[in-house]
Amino acid sequence: MKLATLLYGIIPLVFFSSCSSSQQLQNFVLQEQVPFEIVEYYYQDWPQHTRTSPAGIHVTIVLKENLNSIELKEVFFRDKQVELKPELRAPKVYVGKFPKQTDRILNADPVKEYGNKPPQFSKNGSFKFSSNDAIISYTERGKLLYYKLTDIEERGTRQAPRNPR
């Protein structure tokens, strides 16, 4: 009797939990092709130039032509995600800026580390890929879609812009 009650309680629980996880994964199906042409993509370290320009990694995506009905949204890279924004002087170039957390205090005394903010990771744990891959999200006709960029090229550290004197 107890065994039957236990089975009747566990079977529906397992069934409903597997349905919700498979439904969640269906929302993140990667597209095999994109309706726009990507000329190149790469990432590079970005040193801190000013107090308002933190150090970090920039993921750059260069498109062949301007997008009309499609909007690039976010880039997922190394367990983090940021918004993709077009460069002001080059509308075919989109950049995702991943700031490095530099205000963390590391000390042998844990009391002195109080107040450190935890690192910000991606809200979406469904993407699993290598450290040189990224996923971009974009909207087409109001639908959110995803595409995987593989083997992103690492370029040297970007130099600070020089101010003429």
Side-chain angles (χ1 to χ4, degrees):
M1 181 71 172
K2 289 182 182 180
L3 180 63
T5 306
L6 184 63
L7 287 176
Y8 286 124
I10 291 177
I11 291 174
L13 181 65
V14 170
F15 176 74
F16 287 121
S17 65
S18 66
C19 287
S20 66
S21 64
S22 65
Q23 183 179 19
Q24 182 182 15
L25 291 176
Q26 288 174 358
N27 293 334
F28 302 108
V29 174
L30 296 173
Q31 303 300 306
E32 293 186 19
Q33 296 179 2
V34 288
F36 48 89
E37 188 174 338
I38 299 173
V39 175
E40 66 176 336
Y41 49 88
Y42 57 90
Y43 73 94
Q44 61 189 146
D45 286 325
W46 180 266
Q48 183 170 357
H49 303 303
T50 64
R51 290 183 187 164
T52 59
S53 175
I57 294 176
H58 288 189
V59 174
T60 304
I61 301 168
V62 181
L63 304 177
K64 185 172 184 176
E65 53 194 42
N66 291 333
L67 301 175
N68 293 327
S69 62
I70 298 167
E71 182 182 0
L72 294 183
K73 296 297 227 176
E74 293 178 312
V75 59
F76 301 83
F77 184 65
R78 296 187 177 167
D79 292 329
K80 297 181 181 180
Q81 76 184 64
V82 294
E83 183 179 358
L84 277 170
K85 295 182 180 179
E87 287 285 303
L88 294 176
R89 295 184 182 147
K92 297 177 191 175
V93 178
Y94 285 77
V95 178
K97 299 179 180 180
F98 294 87
K100 289 184 181 173
Q101 188 171 358
T102 58
D103 58 349
R104 187 176 296 156
I105 299 168
L106 300 176
N107 197 302
D109 182 7
V111 173
K112 292 183 181 178
E113 292 183 358
Y114 180 76
N116 282 343
K117 294 180 182 176
Q120 298 296 318
F121 293 102
S122 172
K123 295 179 248 178
N124 183 346
S126 296
F127 296 130
K128 302 291 183 212
F129 46 89
S130 75
S131 64
N132 283 349
D133 292 347
I135 293 178
I136 58 171
S137 66
Y138 64 96
T139 56
E140 182 182 23
R141 295 186 201 112
K143 187 175 180 182
L144 186 62
L145 302 167
Y146 300 92
Y147 181 72
K148 184 176 182 178
L149 304 173
T150 58
D151 297 324
I152 298 178
E153 175 189 352
E154 179 181 9
R155 295 205 178 160
T157 301
R158 190 167 176 177
Q159 297 301 317
R162 297 179 189 254
N163 292 331
R165 292 185 187 215

